[in-house]
Amino acid sequence: MTSIQVAQRGTGLLRTFNEAGVLSAADVHVALRLGRLGRESSELVLFAAALAVRSVRAGSVCLALDEMRELGVDVDETWDTGIDPTTLPWPDIAAVISALRVSPLVCGGPTGPLRPLHLVETSGPSDSGPLLYLDRYYRQEQIVRRVLTEHAAHHPAVEPQIVRSELDRLFDASSAVAPDPQRMAAALAATHWITVVAGGPGTGKTHTIARIIALLAACRAAEPALPALRIALAAPTGKAAARLQEAVDEQSDALGLPELTAATLHRLLGWRRGSGARFEYHEFNRLPYDLIIVDETSMVSLTMMSRLLAALRSNTRLVLVGDPDQLASIDAGAVLADLVAAPVATTPSPVLDQILDAEMPALEECSEARAGLEHSRVRGGIVRLTGGRRFGGRIADLAAAVRNGDADAALELLHAGGEQVSLRAPHDLTAVRADVVRVAGEVGAAACAGDAAGALEALESHRVLCAHRRGPFGVERWDRMAAEWAAGENPDPEPYQAPWYPGQPLLVTTNDHEARIYNGDTGVVVRLPDGSLRVALHRGGEPYLVHPAQFPAVDTVFAMTIHRSQGSQYDTVSVVLPEPESTLLTRELLYTAITRTRHGVRIIGTDESIRAGIARRVQRASGLSRRRAESAATTR
């Protein structure tokens, strides 16, 4: 263990909480710097400012002051002091709020109008107390709130009969079971400027995306005076964008879709290398599209969402697609989860009930509690897809138990064992070793034979997933251990020491859009008939072959983090869980790991780790998570 970095200039509360591992040295330095700039010396204000910085680093948009005592040890610090955070001298929350109300960092002062902190105090049944923001994130959240509210105030003009006719064609009304959430999603996209399509793995999100495009293209074609629909497909990462484009391309011929190219959100907004945070498209130069569809929205941070919405024209439809139960962005914010949890109050669409004449009455027949929630979501342009097709049986039951926070049900399924789900003790590595060795052999044999497709298929038959990067439960150790297992079973282990060798599994860590290589791509080195080596990557129906020298940055990968695995799927996965105390071990992490598989999940860990993970939710404070209809707020 290494000791915690201590900010030498920190004193009082800042020093105490820094040494305990609740605050990092960086948090303390930023708070002290703000204090000097704003001539603020109050220990309580500087302490709150440091906690606000810490909250952003932990993924929150702001600090929920009433909940600040629930903050634990900073995951980026190594806590070797043995201090329990609950025993620390936490200041009185009311005293902290009173100090903030008069602070020059919040109100401005003699040094000028600089207000690096924003204190938001609201009143309403859904509030959890006052929030403290760093200025940048307060402004970004206000942009998101304003654009969502403006777009919810009115609706696109559509012809109900045309929309219904196209829905019947695209969704086979004769066999649809009402309420059909995919059909509802398409109808919402036609009648709302901003639509959220939420759903877990295999619920038909890309199937729905393709039909939304076909529906809106047909509606535009019915108005010959208007030009063809300008469509943009985007995702937060290059890998996700490539998968989105492949999924849409697979359905383009059957649906008659136009040729489309998906891009990362950075490329969509016109980011240029070396330009910092500046984009070509922004609030004064809007994106030139009629329809923008963003996939894997759960990974979109508040910063990127605010930039996208700021660049959105008032007459552009935006469809946000993703799984709100998965891990959120590594940066601040969980925008998709916030939108699904707190639908915006909206003016009802005048034609939605006419279009969904079967779905809406069926929705009303649901249980009263569910009907109220679903009606609120649908009226706000939000629909949840159900009925996953990627996996079923015990895997689906396990994913549902984790998502619902039912640790007893999850452990009962795991202890029962079987081919689909199983639990192994941390020292019981026989099964995972056998899978690693088997996959390495199959990948190597196909790669040496020049069978790129076979090598890629074998590579995705099993994957080791870890919560941590380092430590006994981290990717670095498991990568090294799995490589040794694979080399030990290879009759000629020498190739495993070479820079490139047939069967070498690779993880791309940097984008190169010109070469169609994306951060997060996984591939395998194959030997061509002429003896040369190429790296095979998944690109639609045929492998994409690239010379190894073209890669900007790659790692040999036998294991990867669960965060990295988002958007991917494997035949089976082995999930390595850390000890129960790990703050990375959360319900969202477990759910994401389990839902990466098609046929089987093996969890390597203890009952205590599983219970701790299911009980621990990702807590990301955000003003968007409160009901956006409530606007009575006092902001300082």
Side-chain angles (χ1 to χ4, degrees):
M1 274 190 177
T2 60
S3 61
I4 294 168
Q5 292 185 352
V6 176
Q8 296 303 314
R9 294 185 178 182
T11 60
L13 288 173
L14 293 177
R15 181 76 172 214
T16 300
F17 281 78
N18 182 195
E19 291 178 342
V22 175
L23 295 174
S24 73
D27 301 333
V28 175
H29 285 309
V30 172
L32 292 174
R33 176 64 173 166
L34 292 178
R36 288 193 298 271
L37 289 174
R39 297 184 182 178
E40 173 60 85
S41 58
S42 168
E43 181 182 35
L44 295 180
V45 171
L46 297 180
F47 177 66
L51 288 180
V53 177
R54 190 256 197 216
S55 295
V56 168
R57 288 194 302 101
S60 291
V61 174
C62 54
L63 170 66
L65 289 164
D66 283 355
E67 301 170 4
M68 68 180 186
R69 294 189 179 192
E70 299 177 15
L71 295 175
V73 174
D74 187 347
V75 71
D76 291 334
E77 295 286 346
T78 302
W79 187 30
D80 58 2
T81 62
I83 300 175
D84 183 350
T86 61
T87 66
L88 291 171
W90 291 93
D92 180 70
I93 295 173
V96 173
I97 295 171
S98 296
L100 286 167
R101 286 172 178 161
V102 297
S103 170
L105 298 183
V106 173
C107 306
T111 57
L114 177 68
R115 297 170 58 192
L117 300 179
H118 281 267
L119 177 64
V120 177
E121 298 182 81
T122 60
S123 59
S126 63
D127 288 338
S128 58
L131 305 176
L132 183 65
Y133 290 82
L134 299 178
D135 178 70
R136 171 186 175 185
Y137 297 96
Y138 173 77
R139 294 180 184 277
Q140 290 174 356
E141 190 175 277
Q142 290 302 102
I143 290 172
V144 173
R145 186 188 301 273
R146 172 179 56 80
V147 175
L148 290 174
T149 301
E150 290 174 353
H151 282 70
H154 59 104
H155 301 276
V158 294
E159 177 54 54
Q161 292 183 342
I162 295 177
V163 175
R164 285 184 59 183
S165 175
E166 290 299 317
L167 288 175
D168 290 343
R169 177 179 68 88
L170 294 168
F171 291 96
D172 188 14
S174 62
S175 61
V177 177
D180 179 0
Q182 293 185 357
R183 181 184 173 98
M184 292 174 67
L188 289 177
T191 57
H192 289 70
W193 292 117
I194 297 181
T195 304
V196 176
V197 181
T203 53
K205 294 190 293 293
T206 52
H207 176 90
T208 305
I209 287 173
R211 278 149 184 79
I212 286 173
I213 296 171
L215 169 65
L216 297 179
C219 290
R220 175 60 67 92
E223 303 182 58
L226 297 177
L229 202 67
R230 294 169 295 180
I231 305 167
L233 302 178
T237 67
K239 181 180 75 170
R243 289 185 180 275
L244 171 61
Q245 183 171 332
E246 292 165 9
V248 173
D249 285 347
E250 289 174 358
Q251 304 175 70
S252 61
D253 289 342
L255 298 176
L257 302 181
E259 184 175 345
L260 298 170
T261 301
T264 63
L265 285 170
H266 278 80
R267 285 176 66 85
L268 176 72
L269 291 169
W271 178 81
R272 292 185 175 85
R273 190 180 302 276
S275 64
R278 290 175 293 179
F279 293 86
E280 178 182 354
Y281 296 104
H282 44 74
E283 61 182 324
F284 303 112
N285 183 34
R286 305 299 177 90
L287 288 161
Y289 300 104
D290 303 304
L291 170 64
I292 299 174
I293 297 178
V294 181
D295 197 16
E296 296 290 356
T297 308
S298 65
M299 293 190 286
V300 179
S301 67
L302 173 69
T303 297
M304 184 53 65
M305 184 63 74
S306 68
R307 295 189 181 280
L308 172 64
L309 293 180
L312 197 67
R313 294 187 305 160
S314 61
N315 60 344
T316 295
R317 285 181 173 90
L318 174 66
V319 181
L320 304 174
V321 185
D323 185 352
D325 297 312
Q326 284 190 177
L327 288 165
S329 165
I330 59 173
D331 296 319
V335 181
L336 180 66
D338 287 345
L339 296 182
V340 174
V344 68
T346 180
T347 303
S349 169
V351 298
L352 182 61
D353 288 333
Q354 298 178 45
I355 295 171
L356 295 177
D357 58 347
E359 279 75 8
M360 296 305 283
L363 193 61
E364 293 175 358
E365 294 175 2
C366 299
S367 67
E368 182 178 351
R370 180 187 169 196
L373 177 61
E374 293 304 321
H375 266 287
S376 176
R377 285 176 174 158
V378 170
R379 296 302 182 192
I382 300 168
V383 63
R384 268 189 177 269
L385 305 185
T386 56
R389 298 173 180 83
R390 178 183 296 180
F391 49 71
R394 298 171 69 81
I395 300 174
D397 293 341
L398 178 61
V402 171
R403 185 180 62 239
N404 297 330
D406 191 342
D408 290 338
L411 285 170
E412 182 179 350
L413 286 164
L414 288 167
H415 284 302
E419 294 184 0
Q420 288 194 317
V421 300
S422 62
L423 177 65
R424 295 286 186 271
H427 62 271
D428 183 2
L429 305 182
T430 303
V432 65
R433 175 171 182 157
D435 275 340
V436 168
V437 170
R438 172 186 58 79
V439 170
E442 293 174 356
V443 171
C448 289
D451 181 5
L456 288 171
E457 183 178 358
L459 183 66
E460 294 197 346
S461 64
H462 175 261
R463 180 58 50 86
V464 175
L465 302 178
C466 304
H468 289 252
R469 289 188 176 89
R470 300 178 182 86
F473 309 99
V475 166
E476 290 182 357
R477 174 177 181 263
W478 277 83
D479 247 338
R480 183 173 61 254
M481 191 162 56
E484 291 171 355
W485 290 342
E489 296 294 327
N490 188 349
D492 181 14
E494 181 63 27
Y496 285 81
Q497 309 302 320
W500 307 102
Y501 58 88
Q504 182 179 10
L506 298 177
L507 171 68
V508 180
T509 57
T510 303
N511 287 321
D512 185 340
H513 295 282
E514 299 296 329
R516 294 173 60 206
I517 298 170
Y518 306 115
N519 184 9
D521 271 341
T522 53
V524 60
V525 178
V526 298
R527 177 181 288 131
L528 300 184
D530 62 4
S532 63
L533 298 179
R534 294 292 185 272
V535 178
L537 303 171
H538 275 293
R539 288 295 180 271
E542 294 294 328
Y544 178 50
L545 301 180
V546 184
H547 193 281
Q550 287 187 256
F551 284 86
V554 293
D555 292 330
T556 300
V557 57
F558 286 91
M560 67 167 49
T561 63
I562 298 170
H563 269 93
R564 279 276 191 186
S565 73
Q566 288 193 98
S568 301
Q569 51 185 300
Y570 311 96
D571 289 343
T572 61
V573 295
S574 294
V575 183
V576 181
L577 297 186
E579 294 176 335
E581 295 77 15
S582 171
T583 55
L584 291 180
L585 182 57
T586 64
R587 185 183 304 179
E588 291 81 1
L589 181 113
L590 278 172
Y591 172 81
T592 301
I594 291 166
T595 55
R596 296 310 92 203
T597 186
R598 301 184 186 94
H599 305 305
V601 56
R602 173 191 302 119
I603 293 182
I604 302 170
T606 64
D607 287 14
E608 293 75 18
S609 289
I610 292 168
R611 286 190 180 279
I614 293 176
R616 186 182 292 118
R617 300 296 306 270
V618 172
Q619 299 294 335
R620 293 200 167 187
S622 161
L624 289 177
S625 63
R626 301 176 175 184
R627 291 179 57 187
R628 296 189 299 276
E630 294 174 1
S631 58
T634 300
T635 303
R636 293 180 174 85

